[in-house]
Amino acid sequence: MAWRPRRIVACSPKPEARRLEAVLGLYIHIPFCSAICNYCNFNRGLFDAALKEQYVGALLREIAAAGDGAPADTIYFGGGTPSLLEPAEIAAIIGACRTAFALTPDAEITLEANPETVTPERLDGFREAGINRVSFGVQSFRDDELRRLSRLHSASRAAEAFTMARAAGFDNISLDLMMWLPQQTVAQWLESVDALIDVAPDHASLYILELYPNAPLRDEMVRGRWSQAPDDDAAEMYLDAMARLDRAGYTQYEISNVARPGRESRHNLKYWSDGEWLGFGCGAHSTRRGVRWKNLSSTTDYIATVSAGGQPATERRELTWRDALEEALFTGLRLSNGIDVHTVNTRYRTDVWGIYGSALVRFRDSGLLIYDGRLLRLSRAGMLLANEIMAVFLESPVVD
Ligand code: SF4
């Protein structure tokens, strides 16, 4: 049947108008690091104690100004290296969130941490401050790979940090690993995966190294004559790692994330399941009530603006119906459970398969995409080609 966008996609009121107020996630950006890694493209700078103090003051002010008592059930300290903050500073920020929002008693409160920054005392302090989930940026359990990435920790320090966190009482710990590193073979990557499984975290994130255009690592690769394994090996790395994690009792719930039952990242799930969140700090993004904005990226501009009572938000834009639909599809397909097409159809008054089905059917026929009439999801092989498949949502000429 010929596709008729105007008939299928009726003009629709904003979806947010038809749903209950979402329970918020709160993201706190901490832009300080002890050293800058050679592959890093995040919003971060070198640690400076005086600047950090001013920054924490600005954060407290921004959170207080944004507070409207709305319910929130996650706080996520990301960076940068949030574990460079003192436990008392983390406690003050969590306290500001509690005052400004109705934080649920069982809120998930995550601290991203670099292994070299933690001690038993600091971990005790973070727990007392209210942190109940720690996410360690391990990246590799091989020292040669960590050195190539200019990371400050060793493999043994990463394992030690994990043990310290367990001893401090953290029962929800995540580890990040990166694959397709310079000079890394499939076998070497799987060594790190096996080491992670031995450590037995509650959650793990596996990312593929992305080399942005001016990354210093690119020059180092040229100088050192380091190269990345062929594409087919990268696919093998991903598939073999996921198979090992399956066997070890983890469940993959998103393209890059696995968890023990009940240990999925509740905060990150908000990004992938059409949720709402407020971001505080420089460069932080927010999405709420159909509006998206981003804070000033520069740490000093952010501090100056907030300290003067100004608004750090820039690039504020209202999401169109089409933006919101595309994003719901784009992010929903990242999840292993995929998209509940009925729910999206109802919420956006649309017909997802009617619009995109003709472009998606070749992926379904080749086993990359699974559609049972209700759930639309990627197979694991499809996850390797996620970008290509998701591009369908951007290329199809939907009219709103
Ligand atoms: S520690 Fe993380 S945020 Fe900081 S420079 Fe390294 S990769 Fe970037």
Side-chain angles (χ1 to χ4, degrees), residues 33 35-37 39-40 42 44 79-81 114 151:
C33 292
I36 304 301
C37 304
Y39 60 92
C40 177
F42 297 127
R44 77 295 177 261
T81 309
N114 282 5
R151 298 292 306 208

Side-chain angles (χ1 to χ4, degrees), residues 138-146 148-149 175-197 204-209 228-245 255-258 384:
V138 171
Q139 317 315 353
S140 167
F141 278 104
R142 284 180 58 100
D143 287 340
D144 56 344
E145 292 174 356
L146 289 166
R148 275 183 217 118
L149 294 176
L175 302 185
D176 286 1
L177 287 183
M178 284 201 317
M179 71 187 95
W180 211 30
L181 303 178
Q183 298 295 87
Q184 186 181 55
T185 63
V186 175
Q188 287 166 345
W189 157 247
L190 293 174
E191 263 179 48
S192 279
V193 175
D194 288 343
L196 177 140
I197 290 169
S205 303
L206 310 185
Y207 299 112
I208 291 190
L209 172 68
Q228 286 173 294
D231 287 4
D232 284 355
D233 285 12
E236 197 181 330
M237 285 177 183
Y238 178 80
L239 295 173
D240 283 4
M242 287 301 178
R244 281 177 196 221
L245 288 159
I255 288 180
S256 304
N257 287 278
V258 302
L384 284 166

Side-chain angles (χ1 to χ4, degrees), residues 73-146:
D73 64 356
T74 64
I75 302 177
Y76 191 101
F77 288 86
T81 309
S83 53
L84 287 176
L85 257 53
E86 293 305 317
E89 292 169 323
I90 296 286
I93 295 167
I94 295 173
C97 292
R98 284 192 197 285
T99 306
F101 300 96
L103 203 62
T104 57
D106 66 340
E108 175 194 270
I109 308 182
T110 303
L111 181 78
E112 282 185 356
N114 282 5
E116 74 280 1
T117 62
V118 298
T119 61
E121 297 71 35
R122 289 178 68 77
L123 285 161
D124 284 345
F126 291 138
R127 246 184 92 70
E128 278 162 27
I131 298 294
N132 54 27
R133 182 173 185 270
V134 178
S135 176
F136 283 113
V138 171
Q139 317 315 353
S140 167
F141 278 104
R142 284 180 58 100
D143 287 340
D144 56 344
E145 292 174 356
L146 289 166

Side-chain angles (χ1 to χ4, degrees), residues 264-335:
E264 299 82 5
S265 164
R266 278 159 52 194
H267 183 83
N268 287 339
L269 276 169
K270 290 184 190 291
Y271 302 142
W272 302 317
S273 51
D274 222 2
E276 298 197 354
W277 61 92
L278 293 178
F280 299 103
C282 58
H285 291 257
S286 303
T287 298
R288 191 181 193 194
R289 297 175 183 146
V291 181
R292 171 154 303 167
W293 65 95
K294 177 179 180 261
N295 277 359
L296 290 163
S297 297
S298 149
T299 305
T300 48
D301 289 352
Y302 167 81
I303 294 171
T305 302
V306 176
S307 305
Q311 266 288 341
T314 58
E315 303 174 29
R316 188 182 286 271
R317 77 184 173 94
E318 210 163 296
L319 294 176
T320 63
W321 169 87
R322 180 179 178 156
D323 290 336
L325 171 63
E326 276 175 6
E327 187 145 321
L329 297 171
F330 218 79
T331 53
L333 211 53
R334 294 189 62 90
L335 295 170

Side-chain angles (χ1 to χ4, degrees), residues 2 12 19 27 118 142 146 165 187 246 260 279 314 322 372 396:
S12 159
R19 70 168 170 168
Y27 173 81
V118 298
R142 284 180 58 100
L146 289 166
D246 287 345
R260 297 269 185 217
T314 58
R322 180 179 178 156
D372 62 7
S396 295

